[in-house]
Amino acid sequence: AQRVTQPEKLLSVFKGAPVELKCNYSYSGSPELFWYVQYSRQRLQLLLRHISRESIKGFTADLNKGETSFHLKKPFAQEEDSAMYYCALMCPGGYNKLIFGAGTRLAVHP
Amino acid sequence: DVKVTQSSRYLVKRTGEKVFLECVQDMDHENMFWYRQDPGLGLRLIYFSYDVKMKEKGDIPEGYSVSREKKERFSLILESASTNQTSMYLCASKLGSSGNTIYFGEGSWLTVV
């Protein structure tokens, strides 16, 4: 069964520190992976997707098929990065539904 | 800009009541989804629809039903609300092809007392 695991419920760092939000998935095929973010009082929105290989707001994520991971990284955290982050998996052919992890709350302190 | 609108932001209902949550999207998307969002559990898919009058069960369909009579509107129905259905409900929509972005509504906070 497809599954997304985010092992940390809360990640607390100081401004300027590096950040890594972990995401592991289980899927036998070639998945599409995403990171979604929800800032306080805002709707859930796409942060980045692995196929784009882009950096958004300083965040990057690399798909590691060997370790079945898609960790989100940022070298220097900012206070405005504080939010709820969800890793999500889309299985091609499965009506394109997204399967989400439990989420990690990132708190960046001044 | 894609707009997914959930008409009710906050609802309080009594146990046993029938509850309707409405969602409308304005971008002619084929796919629409209902998730519930709970702390520590993330987002769990309740139902989704890939076309008008078509629906598929998600991971937690029990106690819910859906209706998609028009392409732009996807309704979630709680036939007899229970306290364990107190949650944040998120509607989302997506264009048909794989890889396109899913757009979310702002959410509907439902409290069942």
Side-chain angles (χ1 to χ4, degrees):
Chain A
Q2 301 93 12
R3 183 179 296 171
V4 176
T5 303
Q6 293 179 251
E8 303 140 328
K9 288 186 177 180
L10 172 66
L11 186 61
S12 189
V13 302
F14 286 104
K15 177 182 172 181
V19 168
E20 183 179 50
L21 287 84
K22 293 186 174 10
C23 172
N24 289 90
Y25 66 91
S26 59
Y27 178 62
S28 57
S30 295
E32 295 183 50
L33 284 144
F34 306 81
W35 277 98
Y36 277 78
V37 61
Q38 190 170 30
Y39 301 102
S40 179
R41 301 182 188 281
Q42 294 187 28
R43 68 182 71 200
L44 197 63
Q45 58 186 288
L46 178 67
L47 180 62
L48 54 79
R49 66 186 80 186
H50 88 272
I51 58 172
S52 301
R53 293 185 165 272
E54 57 198 344
S55 173
I56 303 293
K57 299 184 179 182
F59 285 98
T60 58
D62 291 318
L63 178 61
N64 185 324
K65 290 188 177 181
E67 295 181 359
T68 60
S69 68
F70 187 56
H71 303 327
L72 183 68
K73 299 177 184 178
K74 185 169 183 177
F76 307 103
Q78 302 299 315
E79 289 180 68
E80 55 265 31
D81 295 328
S82 295
M84 195 74 182
Y85 291 81
Y86 292 96
C87 183
L89 166 72
M90 184 181 291
C91 305
Y95 296 113
N96 302 314
K97 61 181 181 177
L98 272 179
I99 298 166
F100 285 85
T104 298
R105 178 165 298 283
L106 175 64
V108 182
H109 304 286
Chain B
D1 211 19
V2 177
K3 199 104 183 262
V4 179
T5 304
Q6 295 181 235
S7 53
S8 300
R9 293 295 313 278
Y10 302 95
L11 303 96
V12 180
K13 297 292 182 181
R14 294 192 182 278
T15 300
E17 276 193 80
K18 190 168 186 175
V19 182
F20 293 87
L21 299 179
E22 305 288 346
C23 175
V24 176
Q25 49 95 4
D26 65 356
M27 283 302 290
D28 205 36
H29 285 172
E30 291 88 353
N31 299 316
M32 295 189 75
F33 308 83
W34 274 106
Y35 288 88
R36 63 177 282 178
Q37 183 181 24
D38 299 288
L41 297 175
L43 278 74
R44 293 179 291 166
L45 183 63
I46 304 171
Y47 266 97
F48 63 101
S49 169
Y50 52 92
D51 203 349
V52 176
K53 296 191 186 293
M54 305 304 289
K55 60 185 179 185
E56 290 286 335
K57 292 180 180 179
D59 299 317
I60 52 164
E62 297 79 18
Y64 303 94
S65 62
V66 290
S67 172
R68 188 142 182 228
E69 296 297 316
K70 295 184 178 181
K71 193 174 186 179
E72 68 270 18
R73 187 180 297 271
F74 191 37
S75 303
L76 180 70
I77 304 156
L78 287 68
E79 295 290 341
S80 177
S82 62
T83 54
N84 62 12
Q85 293 179 308
T86 292
S87 186
M88 166 70 98
Y89 290 88
L90 296 179
C91 175
S93 75
K94 179 182 173 298
L95 201 55
S97 301
S98 174
N100 284 312
T101 303
I102 286 185
Y103 296 89
F104 284 87
E106 291 185 289
S108 298
W109 273 105
L110 172 66
T111 301
V112 183
V113 298

